[in-house]
Amino acid sequence: MSNEIIKNKRWYDSDPVVKLAVDMLEKAPEQIQLKLADFIIEEAKNRGAIIKFNNKEEFNYVWKRWQDKDEKLFEAMEYLKIIDFDTKKQLSLEIIDFIRKH
């Protein structure tokens, strides 16, 4: 049973800092979400992360996740998901700090 629970976790549930950052980002005002989305995308790209969409139509699908309401948020969460753990943790700490200050 415990292996089944682990398989069903979201990608960010495995680390408490990353989980807190994503939870805080989800609850943040839209203006802060978008500012942090730009930050995440820029930092991930600066560290060599690449996400290739075949075309913009790949975003046009219906999900019920909070980040799917905006293309930029969707892209930022995809970058946060694929970057290496150390970078993910560092960006998560910066996200938490930024939200707490604003």
Side-chain angles (χ1 to χ4, degrees), residues 53-66:
F53 295 108
N54 291 331
N55 58 48
K56 288 287 186 181
E57 298 302 314
E58 288 188 37
F59 174 73
N60 294 329
Y61 56 82
V62 179
W63 287 93
K64 295 187 181 189
R65 302 174 307 182
W66 67 271

Side-chain angles (χ1 to χ4, degrees), residues 4-29:
E4 189 174 310
I5 292 170
I6 292 171
K7 288 180 186 177
N8 292 328
K9 279 189 169 188
R10 298 167 296 192
W11 62 267
Y12 52 86
D13 286 337
S14 61
D15 182 80
V17 172
V18 176
K19 180 178 178 1
L20 177 60
V22 172
D23 288 345
M24 289 177 73
L25 184 57
E26 178 181 4
K27 293 175 179 104

Side-chain angles (χ1 to χ4, degrees), residues 7 9 19-20 28 31 40-41 49 77-78 100:
K7 288 180 186 177
K9 279 189 169 188
K19 180 178 178 1
L20 177 60
Q31 180 181 2
I40 293 166
I41 293 166
M77 292 304 292
E78 290 298 308
R100 285 185 175 159

Side-chain angles (χ1 to χ4, degrees), residues 28-46:
E30 185 176 355
Q31 180 181 2
I32 290 176
Q33 286 179 341
L34 296 176
K35 184 174 185 91
L36 285 168
D38 284 335
F39 169 73
I40 293 166
I41 293 166
E42 181 179 337
E43 289 297 314
K45 286 180 177 180
N46 287 342

